[in-house]
Amino acid sequence: MMVRVTAYLRAAFFVITLLAAAGSSEHDLFLEFCGQWRHGKDPLSLDISVSPGCAGISVSANESSLSVKGSITAKCQRTDVIPLNKSGFASQGDTDFCLLWEPLLDQMMLEVGGRTLILCPPSSPAEKCCTDLSQGVNHPNASYGIVNGRIRTDHISHRTMTGYSFTGQNTSCKVLCDQANQTYVKGFHGTKHPCALRSEETMTRSFRGQTFTSNVKWDKQESSTTVYIPRSMAPATSISSAVSVTFYKNNSLFEAGYNEVKLLRDVVEITVGNEVIANLSEPIKIVFKHDVISRKHKRRCVSWDTRKDPLKVNWLVDGCKTIKNGDQNTECLCDHLTYFSVLVQLEPGPVRHLLPLTVITSVGCAASFFSCIAVMVFFCRNRRRSKEQSVAIHLGLASSLAFLSLLFFFTGVLVSAEGNVCTWVGAMLHYALLSSLTWMGIEVFNTFWLVYMVFRPSPRPAVWYLIGFAFPVVPVVALAAVGDIYGVLEIANADDVSEPYHMCWMKITEQKALLAHFLTTMTLLAILVLSGIIMLFLVYREIRTRDEWKQNRVAFFSIWGLSCLFGTTWGLTFLKFDPLADFILFFSCFLNSFQGFFLMLRFCMLDWIRKQADRSVLSRTSSGSAKQHMLQNSEKR
């Protein structure tokens, strides 16, 4: 009895809602239908079939497919079956999804399993918009289907339904646009945007070029975009064509999947009917007037070709040239037609010359690994020096650098491994780096002890091993317990944003991991570099009066060897000066990658100097003994 009463109350509430909507002068500006897709473990797919009209739309699901079918668009027509398993989609458990429809832009997106798929890209305004979508007949419940269906935050049903249907009605897009501008409605993801502005110009053979300008004041901020269509766009035949320029603002769709970069609020779409126009002899000029962009942030003119990437936004620099006219103006020269905007790279910025830097790092890590192994073998086989206090510290530094070089060399390969391999590799790489920096700090302290505390015994090797190998475990384990710190890091390529470099490391593009990176790695590195520089100054002041240091060559190689030992070359990481940025970047990459190799050279040189000194002492001793023997013989005579 209670079930029937509840059903009647829900029906009455739904009727009252429809009557209230019918009596209201406001229209729904968008539809947001969400739920959970309960499916099996079979290969999963999306079944999409949308076409122009306003008959309605249905969302249904079964064991293996999620379907979106209907007729509600103004221009968009799409029929496709999209396999999900090939794109890394996980089929375990229920999958959250949301269907996002915005009639003003004729734009439809489907968010499923953390991915955003574009079913209908935004287009220029039409005369009629299909809006005020009301709930139609729900399909019966089943074992597989849609759970917890809801419109925005209003739940429809908690049961597992096979599908939901919605019917709409045609409304003047102008009326809908006026309502949007008056109410400042918030769209998907809380973004605000007015209607798209469209301008069109007919082109004939006598076309001499045309300028389109958008002056928009939105949310108390003014911005303008100017588009110049060159005369090379004129049709080659007597048949005229129309060029259409559409201005969009604050559309969250264009930023889908981009976390390390920020897109300008303005996006321009340039089309000529259904023609594909590329490789123009005279480029199209687009001038974006925007808020002040700091010089430390990189900006690039980009374009998105929906024919190449119909399901996702993929901004590319191909075919566009960027000209920076101050901090508030960016000029784009592009040789094709599609969507255009400007990407602003946030910190950390893209890396220039990524390919040669990767090669230098790989070669340097390989050389450092084998060099450190050679250093360890040298100290282990040299029994005469094995009892020296500094040998244990040198062995610790060499072993930690060897482990760091080995992991860094393979991190680009292990990033594609399945499961949590990259997370573990990232954690071990962080440990290896912290351990290496700690051992460099121990080298600094040991040098200070040998120079200024000559008559006091140095701590036992067990103490150094505990500090150098056990101490770095503490922050790494703590960060691993926090979670979502280690994983795949994508390094943007300034030369081609479509081909980034992936490695296993801390996910410093996220705020939590970036904070952990600064509190552990960067803090330890700053302390090490500062103490290393101070120690170099103290050592130089203490032994600069020695005869051998008066030779410039000996002084240079001594300072260089101690710099490699103390890790002061890592201080170049903090230096970023625009005139010398590329030189510092390459120099820092070379020195730090080959640190193990330079360390081996230092110990080889010290061993060679020691042998030369021993030979000199031996020759002096032998010479003195011979002279004494001759004197004794002469006295006897």
Side-chain angles (χ1 to χ4, degrees):
M1 182 68 181
M2 288 297 296
V3 175
R4 292 184 178 180
V5 172
T6 304
Y8 289 147
L9 289 175
R10 286 182 179 176
F13 176 76
F14 183 67
V15 172
I16 293 173
T17 303
L18 289 180
L19 292 174
S24 175
S25 59
E26 291 190 354
H27 301 279
D28 290 333
L29 296 174
F30 63 92
L31 169 71
E32 183 176 356
F33 173 70
C34 302
Q36 290 178 310
W37 176 19
R38 180 160 292 170
H39 51 74
K41 298 182 180 180
D42 296 331
L44 305 178
S45 63
L46 298 177
D47 188 2
I48 309 299
S49 179
V50 293
S51 59
C54 198
I57 191 170
S58 65
V59 183
S60 59
N62 55 34
E63 185 178 1
S64 60
S65 67
L66 177 66
S67 302
V68 178
K69 298 182 179 181
S71 174
I72 60 172
T73 65
K75 299 178 182 179
C76 176
Q77 184 166 352
R78 183 185 186 89
T79 302
D80 197 2
V81 176
I82 306 168
L84 292 177
N85 298 81
K86 292 182 179 180
S87 56
F89 181 84
S91 60
Q92 301 294 329
D94 297 344
T95 301
D96 295 327
F97 77 91
C98 275
L99 178 67
L100 312 172
W101 159 247
E102 192 158 3
L104 271 175
L105 298 176
D106 202 26
Q107 172 181 300
M108 185 182 296
M109 295 186 296
L110 180 64
E111 295 181 350
V112 55
R115 297 178 56 206
T116 300
L117 303 178
I118 302 169
L119 306 183
C120 292
S123 63
S124 55
E127 293 183 2
K128 295 292 184 178
C129 291
C130 187
T131 184
D132 296 334
L133 294 173
S134 58
Q135 185 183 348
V137 179
N138 295 340
H139 302 276
N141 57 332
S143 300
Y144 298 101
I146 300 174
V147 188
N148 298 325
R150 65 186 186 276
I151 298 178
R152 300 183 189 176
T153 57
D154 299 329
H155 283 270
I156 303 174
S157 175
H158 295 284
R159 294 182 296 175
T160 305
M161 311 294 290
T162 56
Y164 293 83
S165 61
F166 303 91
T167 58
Q169 63 180 18
N170 275 319
T171 305
S172 171
C173 289
K174 184 179 184 305
V175 174
L176 204 63
C177 184
D178 292 339
Q179 176 187 328
N181 288 330
Q182 290 172 4
T183 59
Y184 288 84
V185 66
K186 285 189 175 182
F188 308 136
H189 306 292
T191 59
K192 297 180 180 180
H193 57 81
C195 307
L197 302 178
R198 179 187 179 189
S199 299
E200 191 171 283
E201 179 71 20
T202 302
M203 298 185 300
T204 62
R205 297 183 65 178
S206 59
F207 181 72
R208 292 293 180 268
Q210 181 67 33
T211 300
F212 300 88
T213 303
S214 167
N215 293 299
V216 181
K217 185 175 182 180
W218 180 254
D219 202 17
K220 298 181 181 181
Q221 294 182 350
E222 293 185 1
S223 63
S224 65
T225 303
T226 302
V227 177
Y228 172 72
I229 305 297
R231 59 186 301 176
S232 60
M233 288 279 294
T237 63
S238 58
I239 301 176
S240 62
S241 59
V243 57
S244 176
V245 179
T246 307
F247 301 92
Y248 302 94
K249 183 173 288 294
N250 288 348
N251 192 338
S252 61
L253 175 143
F254 295 115
E255 297 183 357
Y258 285 81
N259 300 321
E260 299 86 7
V261 293
K262 179 182 179 182
L263 192 74
L264 285 188
R265 296 181 300 140
D266 300 280
V267 175
V268 179
E269 179 192 14
I270 307 175
T271 58
V272 178
N274 294 323
E275 297 183 37
V276 178
I277 298 179
N279 301 319
L280 293 171
S281 58
E282 185 179 355
I284 296 171
K285 182 168 69 175
I286 309 169
V287 179
F288 293 95
K289 183 179 179 182
H290 44 74
D291 297 333
V292 175
I293 298 177
S294 175
R295 293 184 178 180
K296 69 178 182 179
H297 292 154
K298 311 297 181 182
R299 42 182 153 144
R300 288 288 186 94
C301 294
V302 290
S303 65
W304 169 39
D305 191 347
T306 56
R307 295 179 179 86
K308 294 181 180 179
D309 299 287
L311 289 176
K312 63 178 181 179
V313 178
N314 189 14
W315 293 107
L316 300 175
V317 296
D318 301 341
C320 287
K321 180 181 178 181
T322 306
I323 301 177
K324 303 173 185 177
N325 297 324
D327 295 335
Q328 293 182 285
N329 286 274
T330 303
E331 182 177 320
C332 301
L333 302 178
C334 303
D335 63 359
H336 58 288
L337 304 185
T338 184
Y339 295 89
F340 300 97
S341 188
V342 176
L343 278 179
V344 181
Q345 182 72 38
L346 304 178
E347 296 295 339
V351 179
R352 291 178 290 185
H353 316 295
L354 186 58
L355 180 59
L357 288 173
T358 304
V359 173
I360 293 173
T361 303
S362 299
V363 175
C365 287
S368 293
F369 173 75
F370 290 108
S371 299
C372 289
I373 296 297
V375 170
M376 295 167 63
V377 171
F378 169 76
F379 281 117
C380 291
R381 295 185 63 181
N382 196 336
R383 297 180 180 179
R384 188 181 64 176
R385 298 195 57 191
S386 60
K387 297 181 180 181
E388 294 182 8
Q389 298 177 351
S390 301
V391 170
I393 300 175
H394 298 334
L395 285 173
L397 176 59
S399 58
S400 62
L401 277 179
F403 187 45
L404 175 64
S405 301
L406 182 65
L407 285 178
F408 210 97
F409 182 83
F410 286 107
T411 182
V413 179
L414 297 174
V415 71
S416 57
E418 298 180 355
N420 297 324
V421 174
C422 196
T423 302
W424 285 98
V425 172
M428 289 190 295
L429 185 61
H430 189 210
Y431 165 78
L433 179 59
L434 293 179
S435 178
S436 299
L437 296 178
T438 303
W439 278 110
M440 295 174 201
I442 293 174
E443 291 280 8
V444 173
F445 181 79
N446 182 62
T447 303
F448 174 80
W449 193 284
L450 294 176
V451 174
Y452 287 94
M453 307 182 74
V454 182
F455 300 105
R456 294 187 181 182
S458 176
R460 295 182 178 181
V463 177
W464 299 132
Y465 287 137
L466 183 65
I467 297 174
F469 291 127
F471 170 73
V473 174
V474 178
V476 173
V477 171
L479 293 177
V482 171
D484 202 28
I485 299 293
Y486 303 106
V488 180
L489 173 64
E490 182 178 290
I491 302 176
N493 188 351
D495 302 319
D496 187 357
V497 294
S498 64
E499 294 185 1
Y501 176 76
H502 296 89
M503 63 176 292
C504 300
W505 179 237
M506 305 175 74
K507 296 187 285 188
I508 57 177
T509 54
E510 300 179 8
Q511 190 65 31
K512 183 170 61 174
L514 182 62
L515 179 62
H517 173 64
F518 276 103
L519 290 178
T520 57
T521 310
M522 299 307 292
T523 301
L524 181 59
L525 182 59
I527 296 173
L528 171 67
V529 171
L530 182 61
S531 60
I533 293 175
I534 294 175
M535 194 64 234
L536 282 176
F537 173 75
L538 294 178
V539 169
Y540 174 75
R541 190 182 65 173
E542 184 70 18
I543 59 179
R544 62 179 178 177
T545 56
R546 296 183 180 180
D547 295 335
E548 60 269 20
W549 270 68
K550 293 181 181 180
Q551 302 179 20
N552 294 332
R553 184 178 60 180
V554 175
F556 171 77
F557 282 111
S558 299
I559 293 294
W560 174 261
L562 289 175
S563 299
C564 295
L565 197 67
F566 297 164
T568 52
T569 55
W570 288 80
L572 294 173
T573 308
F574 299 101
L575 301 180
K576 290 184 180 180
F577 300 109
D578 285 336
L580 300 174
D582 289 342
F583 172 76
I584 294 175
L585 184 63
F586 275 93
F587 193 53
S588 173
C589 178
F590 177 76
L591 293 181
N592 297 330
S593 300
F594 283 87
Q595 183 178 2
F597 176 74
F598 292 132
L599 203 62
M600 182 192 70
L601 291 183
R602 177 183 185 272
F603 289 127
C604 290
M605 185 178 297
L606 288 178
D607 186 66
W608 179 80
I609 293 175
R610 184 177 289 105
K611 290 180 179 179
Q612 292 294 111
D614 292 343
R615 290 176 182 175
S616 177
V617 172
L618 182 61
S619 62
R620 290 178 182 177
T621 305
S622 301
S623 176
S625 300
K627 290 181 179 179
Q628 184 177 5
H629 181 70
M630 292 174 63
L631 288 173
Q632 290 176 353
N633 291 335
S634 62
E635 289 177 358
K636 291 179 179 179
R637 292 177 182 177

